[in-house]
Amino acid sequence: GKAAQLADALYLLMAVANKYRFLVEIVVESSLVFVGSNEPLQVTVKLYDDLNQPIAERTRVRMEISYHGEALYTVGRANGTSQEGHWLSTAANLGDGRYRVAVQPAGGWAMQVQVGIAVMVETVNAAGKGSDERNFPFLGSSADTYQALGVGDIRFKPLRTFNVSAAPPPALPSPRLPPLQPPQSFPPVGHPLLPPHAPLYTPPSSPPSTPPYTPPYSPPYNPPFTPELSLLTPPSAPPSNPPFTPPYTPPDLPPYIPPFTPPSSMPYAPQAIGSISS
């Protein structure tokens, strides 16, 4: 930016003295302003004090708009005209440091290029009295109070400008939709599409030549019985010291005597009876 000038330092001193305000924002809404329209031009500004807070007390905002003719205000009020015939108005205090003017010409907007807007901020003391030194224009006004502040013949110096252009082309009409037709009835799914009013095919009521298929009987499957683990009783564990069992001893048996077998033939020797000793 530019280096600070003496006028900047003086402005800061006047703001600290509560005589000037800081204009921190200006919004010009002119989107609906064109030739022949009756929509208002809307201008809104926001002011802060030396403590960087929105200021709405002991402050008045006026505006000069370089347009001629009868003005109709929907926000703010008329304040006459300047020596150049410009609209002069007093903005409405909206609170929170915001001030607004909304105005349109009585006969509709006419084409004009570079319509200027100047903003004049004026303050009063605690007793409600103002003075010329408390008034400051952004950037210059042709109102009586500010004529002496102009440079040469240029008394009006706008802060913002806008154009009143030709009316926008009319919007093309939307194509007309054909009238709605009543819904057509269709045969149920599974039948071929037939001409309208044609009867649907109905199969004969005689039983089919082929009897319906009946699957063979299958007994229901019964899985094998599996006892629950909780019902099983594990065998008792063998004792840690089993009882002593003596080794087996067979009983005593008599000596073995083989059976008698007579000889197959023995020689026969007869003895004399008389030789037998007595």
Side-chain angles (χ1 to χ4, degrees):
K2 298 181 180 180
Q5 304 295 324
L6 178 60
D8 299 326
L10 293 176
Y11 192 95
L12 291 176
L13 290 176
M14 295 293 285
V16 172
N18 205 21
K19 294 182 178 181
Y20 282 177
R21 305 290 187 241
F22 295 104
L23 196 157
V24 298
E25 182 182 64
I26 178 170
V27 179
V28 179
E29 178 53 56
S30 60
S31 60
L32 299 178
V33 174
F34 51 84
V35 176
S37 74
N38 292 307
E39 297 297 330
L41 165 73
Q42 182 173 285
V43 184
T44 306
V45 299
K46 187 169 187 178
L47 304 180
Y48 277 11
D49 60 9
D50 60 315
L51 300 178
N52 202 28
Q53 297 296 322
I55 183 67
E57 298 177 353
R58 297 166 54 184
T59 305
R60 182 176 71 166
V61 174
R62 294 200 296 160
M63 297 187 188
E64 180 177 351
I65 302 174
S66 60
Y67 200 86
H68 301 79
E70 183 182 358
L72 300 178
Y73 291 87
T74 56
V75 180
R77 58 185 176 86
N79 194 228
T81 58
S82 68
Q83 292 183 357
E84 299 181 10
H86 298 167
W87 292 345
L88 294 176
S89 60
T90 301
N93 188 343
L94 305 181
D96 194 32
R98 296 186 181 275
Y99 300 79
R100 178 176 297 169
V101 165
V103 60
Q104 77 264 15
W109 293 95
M111 183 173 291
Q112 184 174 336
V113 180
Q114 295 292 313
V115 180
I117 303 171
V119 179
M120 297 87 78
V121 180
E122 303 169 356
T123 64
V124 296
N125 58 20
K129 295 183 179 181
S131 60
D132 290 344
E133 68 174 356
R134 288 179 171 271
N135 303 337
F136 191 89
F138 296 91
L139 298 170
S141 172
S142 62
D144 295 340
T145 308
Y146 298 91
Q147 285 185 9
L149 300 178
V151 180
D153 295 332
I154 305 176
R155 297 185 180 92
F156 175 72
K157 189 175 182 180
L159 179 62
R160 290 288 187 271
T161 61
F162 69 96
N163 298 326
V164 182
S165 57
L172 296 177
S174 57
R176 297 184 61 183
L177 298 177
L180 295 177
Q181 299 293 335
Q184 298 180 359
S185 59
F186 293 94
V189 178
H191 293 277
L193 296 177
L194 300 177
H197 309 294
L200 299 179
Y201 171 74
T202 303
S205 59
S206 60
S209 59
T210 303
Y213 172 75
T214 303
Y217 172 76
S218 298
Y221 172 74
N222 294 322
F225 173 74
T226 303
E228 298 183 4
L229 295 179
S230 61
L231 300 178
L232 298 178
T233 304
S236 57
S240 57
N241 295 320
F244 173 76
T245 302
Y248 174 74
T249 303
D252 295 336
L253 297 177
Y256 175 73
I257 300 175
F260 173 79
T261 302
S264 60
S265 63
M266 295 183 62
Y268 178 67
Q271 293 181 5
I273 300 174
S275 63
I276 300 175
S277 59
S278 55

